[in-house]
Amino acid sequence: MTTRSSRAHGIQLALVIASGIAAPASAQDTCGRAVRLTTQPERPRRGAIFVVRVAGVPTTTEVSGRAADEVLHFSRENSGARVSFAPAPIDSVSLAVSVECTAGASRDTLRLTLSLAQGAYPVERLRVAPRFSASPDSALAARQQREAARAAQVSVVAHQTPRLWTSPFVPPRAARITSRFGGAREFNGTITSRHMGTDYAGAVGAPVRAANRGIVRLVDEFFLGGKVVYVDHGEGLVTAYLHLSKHRVAVGDTVERGMVLGQVGATGRVTGPHLHFIARYGAVTVDPHSVFELTRRETVR
């Protein structure tokens, strides 16, 4: 096994070359001698999605990878480069990306360590009913764990679903944003969490639209999220719509971009009617704005 390394602009790249038994060609040629592993942007922002690009790979070589412990879904550009979206967790300072090239019994592993750019996330102070800020009893804690597990399962399934969309993601409401992604949330004087979504203003009953084409995987009423809808868009991307007053879809429905899937409400833990919108790559919650922006710029196909 040999290793080549270089460092530039806060990015460390290591190519680890491993030989398989009875490989038809030298393992050093599996990824290609001209291989280049890059990201766009070069320093992804914490809490955003970004692009991983592998150029110079032979056409017969299979490419796979992981970032933030999530599977990457590579597709081929016209240039022959392999590209995938990837998530940058909001609380991470650095991020390891690994890409594996496979051709027969030969395998190369590319490892890229990224220094993540810091996001500007403010502290938001809220006051809510004491029953929502107090520590839950055992029964309520168990309920919340079950609900979180069901939401997490949607992300697992999304990695197994082929991409269902071809157009960029769009906001679920053409409305004022009342609370942006990433801010620390202080409930009744105590910081308890980050705001891992984007809130849109709206009166009870106002329409909530699908951000893109996908399959409805979860429709229910949760203690914290109230009436919720989770949509699987494929290749690891999931969106969720919380605090609804009404569901307008059922599990298994295919929704198109812009289709009404629910109505604004004030169910669950809220201070008033609004839509709480979540975007995830696998289990990593990311800034929905980064999904809108990146899918406008990158087809990743």
Side-chain angles (χ1 to χ4, degrees):
M1 178 177 290
T2 59
T3 301
R4 297 200 298 270
S5 299
S6 64
R7 185 184 297 271
H9 306 297
I11 298 179
Q12 181 181 14
L13 170 62
L15 172 58
V16 181
I17 304 169
S19 297
I21 299 174
S26 77
Q28 189 169 350
D29 293 331
T30 309
C31 279
R33 294 177 183 274
V35 66
R36 299 185 305 281
L37 173 58
T38 59
T39 64
Q40 179 62 38
E42 187 177 84
R43 289 189 67 201
R45 176 171 56 88
R46 300 176 196 176
I49 63 167
F50 62 98
V51 170
V52 175
R53 180 171 281 103
V54 187
V57 180
T59 57
T60 56
T61 296
E62 297 294 326
V63 176
S64 59
R66 299 186 75 87
D69 204 31
E70 297 294 332
V71 175
L72 302 182
H73 300 274
F74 285 100
S75 57
R76 195 188 306 261
E77 292 183 323
N78 292 334
S79 65
R82 317 300 173 84
V83 289
S84 174
F85 291 135
I90 192 171
D91 292 321
S92 295
V93 175
S94 63
L95 178 66
V97 178
S98 65
V99 172
E100 189 171 276
C101 305
T102 304
S106 269
R107 184 176 69 251
D108 285 355
T109 301
L110 305 166
R111 293 190 176 91
L112 184 64
T113 301
L114 303 170
S115 174
L116 299 178
Q118 188 170 4
Y121 301 121
V123 175
E124 183 180 11
R125 294 172 175 83
L126 301 173
R127 298 202 67 81
V128 298
R131 68 189 181 95
F132 286 119
S133 58
S135 298
D137 59 28
S138 59
L140 179 55
R143 175 186 172 182
Q144 291 178 251
Q145 289 171 1
R146 289 193 302 270
E147 292 170 351
R150 292 181 62 205
Q153 184 60 28
V154 177
S155 295
V156 172
V157 172
H159 277 308
Q160 303 164 13
T161 304
R163 180 185 295 196
L164 300 173
W165 53 276
T166 56
S167 301
F169 280 69
V170 294
R173 281 188 50 73
R176 178 173 57 92
I177 293 175
T178 58
S179 183
R180 296 188 178 275
F181 172 88
R185 305 205 81 174
E186 181 183 279
F187 288 105
N188 300 342
T190 301
I191 293 179
T192 59
S193 65
R194 284 190 179 274
H195 185 235
M196 299 300 281
T198 299
D199 288 351
Y200 291 88
V204 173
V208 174
R209 302 179 185 276
N212 218 326
R213 187 170 187 269
I215 298 173
V216 177
R217 298 293 188 194
L218 176 59
V219 175
D220 208 338
E221 183 159 3
F222 286 175
F223 175 76
L224 296 177
K227 287 184 169 65
V228 301
V229 172
Y230 282 70
V231 178
D232 168 7
H233 302 282
E235 293 191 350
L237 282 173
V238 172
T239 57
Y241 311 76
L242 279 60
H243 307 309
L244 303 175
S245 59
K246 288 185 180 179
H247 303 122
R248 297 281 295 274
V249 291
V251 171
D253 287 351
T254 295
V255 294
E256 301 297 333
R257 186 177 74 157
M259 175 179 165
V260 175
L261 50 69
Q263 295 172 244
V264 173
T267 56
R269 184 169 76 175
V270 292
T271 57
H274 69 279
L275 170 69
H276 181 77
F277 177 66
I278 294 171
R280 287 178 178 157
Y281 184 98
V284 181
T285 305
V286 296
D287 185 353
H289 185 73
S290 74
V291 178
F292 304 149
E293 288 295 312
L294 198 58
T295 57
R296 276 198 291 266
R297 297 197 310 266
E298 297 277 351
T299 57
V300 190
R301 257 295 171 263

